[in-house]
Every structure is written in C-alpha cells, then in structure tokens.
Amino acid sequence: MLLTSAPTASADYVRDQQWVLDVFAMKDTWAETQGEGVTVAVVDSGVDATHPDLAGQVLAGKDFTGGGNAHEDKMGHGTVMASIIAGHGHGPGNASGMMGLAPKAKILPLRAIRTEKDPMHDETWAAAVRYAVDQGAKVINMSFGNDGGKTLSDGRAAIAYAQAHDVVVVAAAGNDGSIAVDEPAALPGVVAVGAVDKSGNRWDGSNTGKGLTLMAPGVEILGADTTRSQQYSLSRGTSDAAAFVSATAALVRSKYPELTAGQVINRLVKSASFLGHKGLKAPDEEYGYGIIRPRQAVTMDIPVGPKKNPLGQLTVATPPSSEASEKTAPATQTSFRSLVVLGGGIAAVMVVGVIAWVVTRSRRSAGSGPGSGAGTPPHSYGYPPHPSAGYQYYPNTPPQQGYTPGQAPQHPNPYAQRPPHQGQ
C-alpha cells in the first residue's frame, strides 16, 4: 500500500484532526527515521517555543525585524509551520496534541516579519536565509510568496548561497489560484509546492504553472498556534503544503545523510505519485511531479543520481554581505500580505469538539481578477480575528461533533490506491 486507507481512532481530539498522519502511514515511516540530526530553518513570523508540542525542538534562532525575539510569534503562522514539521505531541507517550512529520528534527526560527500589516522585505528574509546556511540548517522552509512580483537581488543571492552550500530550499507556490507560481518558489532549484485536499485533488486556490515541483496536503491542516486560546488552529493553503515537504526532506536527510541536497530532491521527486490522476506527464503544470509520499521517500530503491540539483541552480555573480542584507528595504518591496501562504492565508480557528471555520477566498484589496476588490479587510490575508466567546479550551473538550476522522470515508481514498509512479 502506498498509504493507509483509513484513520485510526484516538482519544485525543487534536490528534484525530491529523488525517495526514494516517494517509501517509507515518507510524511506519517513523520506524525508519524521525528527522534526527537535521535542522530545518523556518523563515517566518517567529516560532513560539513554549507550546508543549514543540518543547525542546526550537533552537534560539534570530529576529531580523529589528531587535526582537525569534521565539515571539504574534501571527501564529511560523509556529504552525514549525509544528507541521517537528511537532512531537505531549503528555504520556506524547499521545496527545500535534505531531509533525519529522518530530525529532530541530527548528531554527528566523523571524522576518512581525505582523501581517508589515512589509516582507527581500533584504530581510534574504539575511535570514544566509544566516540559516551559516548555522548549519540542511532544509529551509519559506512559506511565503511575493504575489507575482520578482525576487530582488538580495533574495536571489541568498537562495544561490543556500544552494551552493548544499541546502534544500522549499517554498510555497501561492494561494491565488493563478496560472503562475509565485517567487521565490518559481526560482531555479527551489522546491515549489502546491496544495491538495483529502481526495488528492489540487486545492482550487493553489497556484499552478511552470516551475511547480510537488504537491502536498494543504486543506484542513492542524497546527500548533499559541495566538489562539485553544492553542491550535486549522488552516489551508500552500504554506502548510510547503511545511510538509520540508519535513519530508528532513526525513530523507536524516535517513541518508550522505546525499547531497540535489539527491534529496531527486528522492522527493522520484517517490512522488500522481495517485489517481491518470494521463498526466511530469512535470505537470497542476501537479508538478506528483504528491509527496514520505514513506516511499525514505524506503524506495531509488538510484542516488547526480549530485547536482535536478531542478537547476540559481547563480549570482556577487552576492551581498550578510550585514548589508540586514538593512531595512524600501517599502515598495515584497509585502507580507503576499504571504497568502501565511497559514494558507486562509485559516480557521480549531475548537476541539466543534471546529469553527473562517474561510476567506478574497485576494488582496489592491489586486485584480476573480475574488479581488477594494475594501477587503487586512485580516482576510492571514488569520481571522479571535472568536469573541463560547469556545472551550483544549484538552477539556467534549467529543467532536460533525467531522470525525474515525468515521469511514464516504468516497474511495485516493491515498490508498496503488498506481504506478507517473512521469519519472
């Protein structure tokens, strides 16, 4: 079986929301590796290391926004990404709470933005990327995009620097539903990630087009989120999908430490599958090389392949110094509102027992095309406002009403199918 076909029952309502663990057969995968010895840098809004599901996993990191603390996360987005990658649960046997795909990987939090209203400058996140490389990170997760704009010289130089130092760089493709992958995901050598739903179908908000590399789950994704009174949230978007790919890269790097970044990417690509989507030829503009399969990525007999990155290499003649990269960039550069991929840019508060979804599909207020329009409130691009009242705290919650992961699926589970890998 590629993946298990049905979720198992659990007394923990938070763990029950993690349908991804079941369809990816993560218990079997963790018997092979749990990401030990690998550091994943999360260039984001910071990571709250106080969440019990991340205790001991988060390194000191660095704040690039101006003298702050990398462990402060006012938005919650960076903490969600970190938990998808390296959450380890809590309680007896870690049986409660959030589990990431690589629970023994370390998280290097690199704060490049404070609030959703702040601009996300290329110079700022570029300095974070270079710092991640210098600190020994082997995977860099960038769950943000620039809304169709081009990456400036600082950003390009930083990514080139990472690639030249054997680092796997993963970025979100974008949440506009556009036929164009956002940069920096679209840059040569970067693993550009789109989102699929539980049925293995492309989420309609996921960007498509040339340069798309892989697909990963990005709908109804649980994450640890200390900005919520319940400490967890559910979200959707390519942001979450990118974090799953970064976690899978960490698993591969842990299992095969001798492989280069290019050879790791080769395993991710060769182990992916189009699953039930017939007639596609890789790279497909909607599904890239297919949907990730973590277990296959660490167990399949795949030739090592060339050391170079199969997705190409970004080269820059004269990269800027780290000191120059830390300067504040002009406000006309990339805005963090383009971090639509921020927790998906579309998120919902998870109340264990009753889940309140707040789904926003609007584009940026200054944008154009379907779903756009002036006057869209700023929070539409990130997490919605906190609920006013009526929600209970985890873990003192009643049995969940409505969606129950333990129920039999109402349609054939595409993750349980066994088609041949397409487009190798």
Side-chain angles (χ1 to χ4, degrees):
M1 298 290 288
L2 296 181
L3 303 162
T4 55
S5 58
T8 56
S10 169
D12 183 77
Y13 302 122
V14 169
R15 190 67 57 83
D16 276 348
Q17 310 306 310
Q18 292 194 262
W19 62 272
V20 175
L21 300 183
D22 294 294
V23 300
F24 278 163
M26 290 311 299
K27 287 186 178 179
D28 293 335
T29 308
W30 292 330
E32 301 288 335
T33 174
Q34 295 184 39
E36 304 93 326
V38 177
T39 296
V40 180
V42 176
V43 181
D44 215 293
S45 58
V47 175
D48 191 335
T50 66
H51 195 287
D53 296 344
L54 285 169
Q57 297 305 102
V58 185
L59 303 175
K62 186 173 181 179
D63 187 302
F64 290 84
T65 66
N69 182 359
H71 288 180
E72 181 182 35
D73 184 7
K74 294 181 179 180
M75 303 175 67
H77 184 262
T79 304
V80 170
M81 298 305 108
S83 67
I84 289 173
I85 296 167
H88 54 51
H90 66 272
N94 288 334
S96 300
M98 169 78 187
M99 287 292 291
L101 295 196
K104 290 188 178 179
K106 293 295 185 181
I107 296 295
L108 180 67
L110 302 175
R111 194 180 190 208
I113 195 71
R114 295 185 184 183
T115 72
E116 188 181 344
K117 295 181 180 180
D118 297 335
M120 181 69 152
H121 298 310
D122 282 49
E123 289 184 2
T124 304
W125 66 256
V129 167
R130 292 173 67 85
Y131 181 85
V133 176
D134 294 341
Q135 293 299 307
K138 302 305 290 182
V139 181
I140 298 177
N141 185 80
M142 302 194 301
S143 289
F144 58 86
N146 60 5
D147 195 23
K150 296 296 182 182
T151 302
L152 303 181
S153 59
D154 293 279
R156 296 176 68 89
I159 291 176
Y161 183 73
Q163 293 173 348
H165 286 79
D166 195 42
V167 178
V168 176
V169 180
V170 181
N175 293 349
D176 296 314
S178 302
I179 308 177
V181 175
D182 279 352
E183 290 191 8
L187 294 175
V190 178
V191 182
V193 185
V196 294
D197 61 19
K198 290 183 180 181
S199 298
N201 296 319
R202 181 182 70 85
W203 172 55
D204 58 8
S206 182
N207 287 5
T208 63
K210 184 178 180 181
L212 186 64
T213 310
L214 293 166
M215 303 296 280
V219 177
E220 291 187 34
I221 304 302
L222 178 77
D225 185 354
T226 51
T227 69
R228 301 302 180 192
S229 60
Q230 300 82 23
Q231 300 293 296
Y232 300 92
S233 62
L234 282 172
S235 59
R236 61 175 60 187
T238 60
S239 194
D240 309 273
F244 281 121
V245 172
S246 290
T248 305
L251 293 174
V252 175
R253 300 219 82 161
S254 178
K255 177 74 172 180
Y256 305 100
E258 74 283 0
L259 296 185
T260 66
Q263 290 165 339
V264 170
I265 293 171
N266 178 62
R267 286 195 73 89
L268 297 179
V269 168
K270 292 295 179 64
S271 60
S273 174
F274 288 133
L275 296 179
H277 302 283
K278 300 181 183 297
L280 302 184
K281 182 178 180 181
D284 180 74
E285 292 198 355
E286 283 196 52
Y287 290 89
Y289 290 91
I291 302 168
I292 61 163
R293 297 187 298 168
R295 181 165 172 266
Q296 284 70 23
V298 298
T299 60
M300 280 181 68
D301 183 10
I302 298 173
V304 172
K307 292 184 177 181
K308 65 181 182 181
N309 190 330
L311 304 178
Q313 185 83 20
L314 188 62
T315 57
V316 178
T318 308
S321 66
S322 296
E323 291 78 9
S325 296
E326 292 190 37
K327 295 179 181 178
T328 303
T332 54
Q333 291 186 13
T334 309
S335 169
F336 194 60
R337 289 186 181 179
S338 63
L339 205 148
V340 289
V341 250
L342 196 135
I346 300 174
V349 178
M350 190 199 85
V351 179
V352 184
V354 180
I355 300 176
W357 283 98
V358 181
V359 178
T360 303
R361 293 295 307 280
S362 298
R363 292 193 179 204
R364 298 152 185 75
S365 59
S368 60
S372 65
T376 305
H379 67 254
S380 296
Y381 308 118
Y383 287 119
H386 288 255
S388 56
Y391 293 107
Q392 301 187 41
Y393 286 77
Y394 173 82
N396 299 315
T397 53
Q400 179 188 356
Q401 305 297 319
Y403 166 65
T404 304
Q407 293 177 342
Q410 301 302 308
H411 51 76
N413 186 345
Y415 293 98
Q417 298 177 18
R418 196 175 181 181
H421 172 77
Q422 303 181 43
Q424 285 192 21

